Amino acid sequence: MSVRILALVGSLRAGSHNRQLAEAAAKHAPAGADIQLFEGLADVPFYNEDIDVEGSVPAAAARLREAAGQADAFLLFSPEYNGTMPAVLKNAIDWLSRPYGAGAISGKPVAVVGTAFGQYGGVWAQDDVRKAAGIAGAAVLEDVKLSIPGSVTRFAETHPADDSEVATALTEVVGRLSEQVTPAAA
């Protein structure tokens, strides 16, 4: 049986290099790993306990939780916006952290990767994503990292899926993430 990995991309831009990175991860996933890119993060309203009421959770948030509930693990892709993670990714983590102690992300393995224009590839943002996911209850793989600098130039004419160094690194990340899933979950 395949390990089901839900990919959440912190950039909403159609031509996002992080989205392309997620596509590359799906394309180069090792055997036994199935990566699904979640579509619709832009539609999820900002987390608010007043609207997180059983029976009336906004449809987009309910879809996110349902997809996350079916996942064995998560692969989060984060660019860096003003030195930190994008709000859309933080918002997804907030929705997935509830109900407290029993959220869809609770106890599940999470790896965080990404690319950014700067010289460090979004390291600060990705560290913030790891921190937020861990506090939300995820089993964050702190030693599984991939931060690709210079995205605007590196991927100007080459899709990340066609960059052999990136493809190899993504395959390794997905493989290590998959190893963290308990056999009963997969």
Side-chain angles (χ1 to χ4, degrees), residues 54-80:
E54 191 173 332
S56 63
V57 171
R63 281 192 304 276
L64 173 62
R65 283 180 172 165
E66 181 180 347
Q70 295 172 1
D72 300 313
F74 298 88
L75 186 54
L76 308 182
F77 294 83
S78 184
E80 191 165 275

Side-chain angles (χ1 to χ4, degrees), residues 119-172:
Q119 65 181 337
Y120 302 112
V123 170
W124 291 347
Q126 294 155 28
D127 285 346
D128 287 345
V129 173
R130 284 183 198 89
K131 177 182 174 185
I135 290 170
V140 177
L141 281 64
E142 294 288 347
D143 63 334
V144 177
K145 299 179 180 181
L146 177 60
S147 301
I148 304 167
S151 61
V152 173
T153 52
R154 183 165 188 165
F155 303 126
E157 296 184 23
T158 303
H159 191 287
D162 299 325
D163 181 314
S164 62
E165 181 183 0
V166 170
T168 299
L170 284 170
T171 300
E172 181 179 328

Side-chain angles (χ1 to χ4, degrees), residues 12-153:
L12 302 177
R13 187 173 63 84
S16 160
H17 294 121
N18 279 281
R19 174 157 181 98
Q20 291 176 5
L21 200 60
E23 293 166 353
K27 178 178 180 180
H28 295 291
D34 178 34
I35 297 177
Q36 297 297 315
L37 275 69
F38 183 79
E39 303 291 348
L41 281 185
D43 301 325
V44 178
F46 281 112
Y47 185 80
N48 176 342
E49 250 180 308
D50 291 340
I51 62 173
D52 188 8
V53 178
E54 191 173 332
S56 63
V57 171
R63 281 192 304 276
L64 173 62
R65 283 180 172 165
E66 181 180 347
Q70 295 172 1
D72 300 313
F74 298 88
L75 186 54
L76 308 182
F77 294 83
S78 184
E80 191 165 275
Y81 291 175
N82 297 315
T84 191
M85 76 175 99
V88 69
L89 195 50
K90 174 63 167 69
N91 189 49
I93 292 168
D94 289 345
W95 277 103
L96 296 177
S97 73
R98 300 301 181 119
Y100 179 75
I105 201 169
S106 186
K108 293 183 180 179
V110 171
V112 181
V113 299
T115 186
F117 179 62
Q119 65 181 337
Y120 302 112
V123 170
W124 291 347
Q126 294 155 28
D127 285 346
D128 287 345
V129 173
R130 284 183 198 89
K131 177 182 174 185
I135 290 170
V140 177
L141 281 64
E142 294 288 347
D143 63 334
V144 177
K145 299 179 180 181
L146 177 60
S147 301
I148 304 167
S151 61
V152 173
T153 52

